[in-house]
Amino acid sequence: MGRPALSISKMKAAYYPDVGLEQMVPDQMWIEEECKYDVAAMYGISHWWFQRQRFYIDRHTSEGDRRAVRTHMRILSVVRIEVFPMYGYNYMKKIVLRRADLKEYVIAERDFKYLYPSDFEDLYLLNLQGHLNHLSPEDKKILTTAVNLWTRNLVIRQRVEDFQLGIESYQTQLNLTKPRWDAKGFEYKHDFTVIDSPRAVTFRDKYGVQMIMRFNEIHKFSDGTLHQIDEALDYRVKEFRVNRRNPGLDTRFWTKKDVDRSKEFMFAIQKRLKTRRIFRNLESFVGGRIREGDYRLLKRTE
C-alpha cells in the first residue's frame, strides 16, 4: 500500500482592513518587476527528493482541456476516484464529479489548475460535512491530500500576487509593485470621480491626501480602502440625480456615463473582495491560523 503524497504546513491567514495601507508601505520595499516563484515551494514539495519533485511538477504542467473543466457550476458530490502508485506513493489519476446540472464530469489532477477557487471550497465543504464517506478510507485520504496540495498552491500564488493577504517566505522576491498615480490633473477632480483615461477613480486617504486607484491595480489596495471606495460609489449611484446638481459636485452634473463607470468599478472591487474572502476560507481549511476578528468576518460572509 503506497503512502499519500501529503505536504501541508501551518499557514497564517491575514486580513488588513486599514484604509491607506498602501501609503504606509516604506519606499524601500517597493520593486519595479513582479516576483519569481520557487516552484517546489509553491507546490509544497520542497522536502521531496528530486525525481519525485520532477515527476509531480511535470504531471501538473502538462496540457489539459480547459474548456471541459472550467465552469462556475457548484460541485454537488464526488462519485469516485482512480489512483495509481509511483515511487512508493499513491497519486490521483482522475476524479469523477457531479455538478449542479446533475451531470458527471471527469477531470485529472493536472486539470486542477483550470478550476476556480470556489471549486476547491466546495470540495473541502463536502469533506467537512461528511459527504465523502461513501469513498474508501484510502481513496478519501488521497483525494483530501490532492486538494490540500492544490489549495496550498493557490494560496501561495495569491499571496505572491496580492501582498495585502500577508507576506510569507514562499517566494524569492516580494511582489510590492507600487500603485501608479499618473492621471493628468486628477488633483482637480471631485472625490470619487471615475476618470476615463487611464481608467481610475479618485479618493482621499485617511490623511486627507487625494489619490487615484487605477482599474488594473485594484489588487494592490487593502480591504479597507476598497470598502471605502465601494461604499462611496454605491451612495452616488443610488442617491445622485442624473443631469442635476448634486452635493459634492460643484462644477458639473452627474451623468449616465458616470453611473456606468461607477458600476464597473464597484463590480470589480466586489469581485476582488469576494476572491479574498474565498482565499481566507481556503487558508483556514488547510490549517491556517486566523485572528479572532477575521473569524467573525468569515462567519458573517458565509
Side-chain angles (χ1 to χ4, degrees), residues 254-274:
W254 179 254
T255 67
K256 184 65 168 63
K257 186 176 292 186
D258 289 321
V259 174
D260 294 338
R261 291 174 180 171
S262 297
K263 286 183 177 180
E264 290 178 4
F265 255 95
M266 289 167 55
F267 178 80
I269 289 173
Q270 291 164 9
K271 184 177 180 181
R272 172 58 54 177
L273 291 172
K274 180 181 178 181

mmCIF file of all heavy atoms in Angstrom, residues 254-274:
data_model
loop_
_atom_site.group_PDB
_atom_site.id
_atom_site.type_symbol
_atom_site.label_atom_id
_atom_site.label_comp_id
_atom_site.label_asym_id
_atom_site.label_seq_id
_atom_site.Cartn_x
_atom_site.Cartn_y
_atom_site.Cartn_z
ATOM 1 N N TRP A 254 -23.929 65.227 -12.673
ATOM 2 C CA TRP A 254 -23.748 63.766 -12.589
ATOM 3 C C TRP A 254 -24.433 63.155 -13.803
ATOM 4 O O TRP A 254 -25.627 63.329 -14.019
ATOM 5 C CB TRP A 254 -24.368 63.260 -11.301
ATOM 6 C CG TRP A 254 -24.289 61.778 -11.061
ATOM 7 C CD1 TRP A 254 -25.298 60.890 -11.160
ATOM 8 C CD2 TRP A 254 -23.143 61.024 -10.649
ATOM 9 N NE1 TRP A 254 -24.877 59.626 -10.857
ATOM 10 C CE2 TRP A 254 -23.545 59.674 -10.533
ATOM 11 C CE3 TRP A 254 -21.808 61.349 -10.380
ATOM 12 C CZ2 TRP A 254 -22.663 58.669 -10.153
ATOM 13 C CZ3 TRP A 254 -20.945 60.350 -9.996
ATOM 14 C CH2 TRP A 254 -21.371 59.031 -9.882
ATOM 15 N N THR A 255 -23.694 62.421 -14.647
ATOM 16 C CA THR A 255 -24.217 61.933 -15.917
ATOM 17 C C THR A 255 -24.431 60.428 -15.903
ATOM 18 O O THR A 255 -23.960 59.718 -15.007
ATOM 19 C CB THR A 255 -23.252 62.299 -17.060
ATOM 20 O OG1 THR A 255 -22.026 61.571 -16.891
ATOM 21 C CG2 THR A 255 -22.958 63.796 -17.068
ATOM 22 N N LYS A 256 -25.125 59.938 -16.935
ATOM 23 C CA LYS A 256 -25.335 58.486 -17.075
ATOM 24 C C LYS A 256 -24.009 57.771 -17.281
ATOM 25 O O LYS A 256 -23.822 56.639 -16.803
ATOM 26 C CB LYS A 256 -26.246 58.238 -18.290
ATOM 27 C CG LYS A 256 -26.618 56.762 -18.483
ATOM 28 C CD LYS A 256 -27.461 56.247 -17.327
ATOM 29 C CE LYS A 256 -28.081 54.892 -17.659
ATOM 30 N NZ LYS A 256 -27.085 53.844 -17.868
ATOM 31 N N LYS A 257 -23.064 58.405 -17.935
ATOM 32 C CA LYS A 257 -21.745 57.807 -18.134
ATOM 33 C C LYS A 257 -21.028 57.637 -16.791
ATOM 34 O O LYS A 257 -20.347 56.631 -16.561
ATOM 35 C CB LYS A 257 -20.910 58.674 -19.082
ATOM 36 C CG LYS A 257 -19.568 58.052 -19.454
ATOM 37 C CD LYS A 257 -18.828 58.892 -20.473
ATOM 38 C CE LYS A 257 -19.546 58.862 -21.826
ATOM 39 N NZ LYS A 257 -18.763 59.557 -22.867
ATOM 40 N N ASP A 258 -21.198 58.605 -15.891
ATOM 41 C CA ASP A 258 -20.626 58.479 -14.548
ATOM 42 C C ASP A 258 -21.213 57.266 -13.827
ATOM 43 O O ASP A 258 -20.503 56.526 -13.134
ATOM 44 C CB ASP A 258 -20.896 59.742 -13.732
ATOM 45 C CG ASP A 258 -20.087 60.927 -14.216
ATOM 46 O OD1 ASP A 258 -18.914 60.744 -14.569
ATOM 47 O OD2 ASP A 258 -20.645 62.048 -14.247
ATOM 48 N N VAL A 259 -22.519 57.070 -13.983
ATOM 49 C CA VAL A 259 -23.181 55.936 -13.335
ATOM 50 C C VAL A 259 -22.608 54.620 -13.859
ATOM 51 O O VAL A 259 -22.273 53.708 -13.083
ATOM 52 C CB VAL A 259 -24.696 55.996 -13.566
ATOM 53 C CG1 VAL A 259 -25.379 54.737 -13.016
ATOM 54 C CG2 VAL A 259 -25.287 57.230 -12.919
ATOM 55 N N ASP A 260 -22.479 54.486 -15.176
ATOM 56 C CA ASP A 260 -21.982 53.244 -15.769
ATOM 57 C C ASP A 260 -20.544 52.961 -15.345
ATOM 58 O O ASP A 260 -20.188 51.826 -15.014
ATOM 59 C CB ASP A 260 -22.073 53.323 -17.298
ATOM 60 C CG ASP A 260 -23.513 53.382 -17.784
ATOM 61 O OD1 ASP A 260 -24.406 52.953 -17.027
ATOM 62 O OD2 ASP A 260 -23.749 53.864 -18.915
ATOM 63 N N ARG A 261 -19.697 53.985 -15.381
ATOM 64 C CA ARG A 261 -18.300 53.800 -14.982
ATOM 65 C C ARG A 261 -18.197 53.417 -13.507
ATOM 66 O O ARG A 261 -17.383 52.568 -13.132
ATOM 67 C CB ARG A 261 -17.508 55.084 -15.249
ATOM 68 C CG ARG A 261 -17.313 55.411 -16.719
ATOM 69 C CD ARG A 261 -16.657 56.771 -16.866
ATOM 70 N NE ARG A 261 -16.450 57.144 -18.258
ATOM 71 C CZ ARG A 261 -16.057 58.353 -18.654
ATOM 72 N NH1 ARG A 261 -15.829 59.293 -17.747
ATOM 73 N NH2 ARG A 261 -15.893 58.619 -19.930
ATOM 74 N N SER A 262 -19.028 54.037 -12.664
ATOM 75 C CA SER A 262 -19.008 53.722 -11.238
ATOM 76 C C SER A 262 -19.437 52.281 -10.990
ATOM 77 O O SER A 262 -18.857 51.581 -10.157
ATOM 78 C CB SER A 262 -19.927 54.682 -10.475
ATOM 79 O OG SER A 262 -19.471 56.013 -10.588
ATOM 80 N N LYS A 263 -20.451 51.820 -11.716
ATOM 81 C CA LYS A 263 -20.905 50.433 -11.552
ATOM 82 C C LYS A 263 -19.831 49.445 -11.972
ATOM 83 O O LYS A 263 -19.666 48.379 -11.347
ATOM 84 C CB LYS A 263 -22.176 50.209 -12.377
ATOM 85 C CG LYS A 263 -23.423 50.861 -11.782
ATOM 86 C CD LYS A 263 -24.657 50.548 -12.615
ATOM 87 C CE LYS A 263 -25.911 51.144 -11.984
ATOM 88 N NZ LYS A 263 -27.124 50.858 -12.791
ATOM 89 N N GLU A 264 -19.061 49.759 -13.030
ATOM 90 C CA GLU A 264 -17.959 48.889 -13.446
ATOM 91 C C GLU A 264 -16.920 48.765 -12.347
ATOM 92 O O GLU A 264 -16.430 47.670 -12.052
ATOM 93 C CB GLU A 264 -17.329 49.430 -14.731
ATOM 94 C CG GLU A 264 -18.197 49.303 -15.966
ATOM 95 C CD GLU A 264 -17.527 49.896 -17.191
ATOM 96 O OE1 GLU A 264 -16.347 50.333 -17.078
ATOM 97 O OE2 GLU A 264 -18.162 49.926 -18.259
ATOM 98 N N PHE A 265 -16.573 49.892 -11.739
ATOM 99 C CA PHE A 265 -15.606 49.873 -10.648
ATOM 100 C C PHE A 265 -16.139 49.096 -9.452
ATOM 101 O O PHE A 265 -15.419 48.309 -8.826
ATOM 102 C CB PHE A 265 -15.243 51.304 -10.233
ATOM 103 C CG PHE A 265 -13.883 51.729 -10.701
ATOM 104 C CD1 PHE A 265 -13.733 52.428 -11.881
ATOM 105 C CD2 PHE A 265 -12.753 51.424 -9.960
ATOM 106 C CE1 PHE A 265 -12.485 52.818 -12.322
ATOM 107 C CE2 PHE A 265 -11.499 51.813 -10.383
ATOM 108 C CZ PHE A 265 -11.349 52.517 -11.569
ATOM 109 N N MET A 266 -17.407 49.306 -9.119
ATOM 110 C CA MET A 266 -17.999 48.604 -7.981
ATOM 111 C C MET A 266 -17.983 47.092 -8.212
ATOM 112 O O MET A 266 -17.671 46.324 -7.295
ATOM 113 C CB MET A 266 -19.430 49.091 -7.757
ATOM 114 C CG MET A 266 -19.522 50.505 -7.218
ATOM 115 S SD MET A 266 -21.201 51.176 -7.316
ATOM 116 C CE MET A 266 -22.127 49.926 -6.439
ATOM 117 N N PHE A 267 -18.307 46.660 -9.423
ATOM 118 C CA PHE A 267 -18.311 45.231 -9.737
ATOM 119 C C PHE A 267 -16.908 44.646 -9.573
ATOM 120 O O PHE A 267 -16.729 43.565 -8.990
ATOM 121 C CB PHE A 267 -18.821 45.014 -11.160
ATOM 122 C CG PHE A 267 -18.807 43.569 -11.591
ATOM 123 C CD1 PHE A 267 -19.807 42.697 -11.194
ATOM 124 C CD2 PHE A 267 -17.783 43.078 -12.395
ATOM 125 C CE1 PHE A 267 -19.791 41.365 -11.581
ATOM 126 C CE2 PHE A 267 -17.760 41.751 -12.786
ATOM 127 C CZ PHE A 267 -18.767 40.892 -12.380
ATOM 128 N N ALA A 268 -15.886 45.348 -10.079
ATOM 129 C CA ALA A 268 -14.513 44.862 -9.981
ATOM 130 C C ALA A 268 -14.047 44.809 -8.528
ATOM 131 O O ALA A 268 -13.367 43.855 -8.110
ATOM 132 C CB ALA A 268 -13.591 45.753 -10.810
ATOM 133 N N ILE A 269 -14.394 45.823 -7.740
ATOM 134 C CA ILE A 269 -13.998 45.847 -6.333
ATOM 135 C C ILE A 269 -14.674 44.716 -5.562
ATOM 136 O O ILE A 269 -14.032 44.008 -4.775
ATOM 137 C CB ILE A 269 -14.348 47.217 -5.713
ATOM 138 C CG1 ILE A 269 -13.418 48.302 -6.264
ATOM 139 C CG2 ILE A 269 -14.244 47.159 -4.194
ATOM 140 C CD1 ILE A 269 -13.800 49.706 -5.845
ATOM 141 N N GLN A 270 -15.973 44.529 -5.782
ATOM 142 C CA GLN A 270 -16.692 43.474 -5.063
ATOM 143 C C GLN A 270 -16.183 42.091 -5.458
ATOM 144 O O GLN A 270 -16.113 41.180 -4.611
ATOM 145 C CB GLN A 270 -18.184 43.601 -5.335
ATOM 146 C CG GLN A 270 -18.818 44.836 -4.710
ATOM 147 C CD GLN A 270 -20.173 45.174 -5.273
ATOM 148 O OE1 GLN A 270 -20.754 44.397 -6.043
ATOM 149 N NE2 GLN A 270 -20.710 46.334 -4.903
ATOM 150 N N LYS A 271 -15.796 41.925 -6.713
ATOM 151 C CA LYS A 271 -15.229 40.650 -7.146
ATOM 152 C C LYS A 271 -13.905 40.389 -6.453
ATOM 153 O O LYS A 271 -13.619 39.267 -6.036
ATOM 154 C CB LYS A 271 -15.042 40.671 -8.669
ATOM 155 C CG LYS A 271 -14.542 39.360 -9.250
ATOM 156 C CD LYS A 271 -14.440 39.434 -10.767
ATOM 157 C CE LYS A 271 -13.929 38.115 -11.340
ATOM 158 N NZ LYS A 271 -13.810 38.185 -12.827
ATOM 159 N N ARG A 272 -13.061 41.417 -6.318
ATOM 160 C CA ARG A 272 -11.778 41.268 -5.627
ATOM 161 C C ARG A 272 -11.992 40.926 -4.163
ATOM 162 O O ARG A 272 -11.327 40.049 -3.605
ATOM 163 C CB ARG A 272 -10.966 42.557 -5.770
ATOM 164 C CG ARG A 272 -9.687 42.619 -4.932
ATOM 165 C CD ARG A 272 -8.718 41.512 -5.222
ATOM 166 N NE ARG A 272 -8.390 41.420 -6.637
ATOM 167 C CZ ARG A 272 -7.504 40.559 -7.134
ATOM 168 N NH1 ARG A 272 -6.892 39.703 -6.321
ATOM 169 N NH2 ARG A 272 -7.250 40.529 -8.430
ATOM 170 N N LEU A 273 -12.935 41.593 -3.498
ATOM 171 C CA LEU A 273 -13.204 41.311 -2.091
ATOM 172 C C LEU A 273 -13.749 39.889 -1.901
ATOM 173 O O LEU A 273 -13.400 39.209 -0.927
ATOM 174 C CB LEU A 273 -14.204 42.333 -1.539
ATOM 175 C CG LEU A 273 -13.679 43.773 -1.401
ATOM 176 C CD1 LEU A 273 -14.821 44.711 -1.031
ATOM 177 C CD2 LEU A 273 -12.566 43.850 -0.380
ATOM 178 N N LYS A 274 -14.583 39.434 -2.833
ATOM 179 C CA LYS A 274 -15.108 38.066 -2.745
ATOM 180 C C LYS A 274 -13.991 37.049 -2.914
ATOM 181 O O LYS A 274 -13.938 36.040 -2.198
ATOM 182 C CB LYS A 274 -16.189 37.851 -3.819
ATOM 183 C CG LYS A 274 -16.779 36.454 -3.802
ATOM 184 C CD LYS A 274 -17.825 36.273 -4.894
ATOM 185 C CE LYS A 274 -18.377 34.851 -4.889
ATOM 186 N NZ LYS A 274 -19.380 34.654 -5.968
#
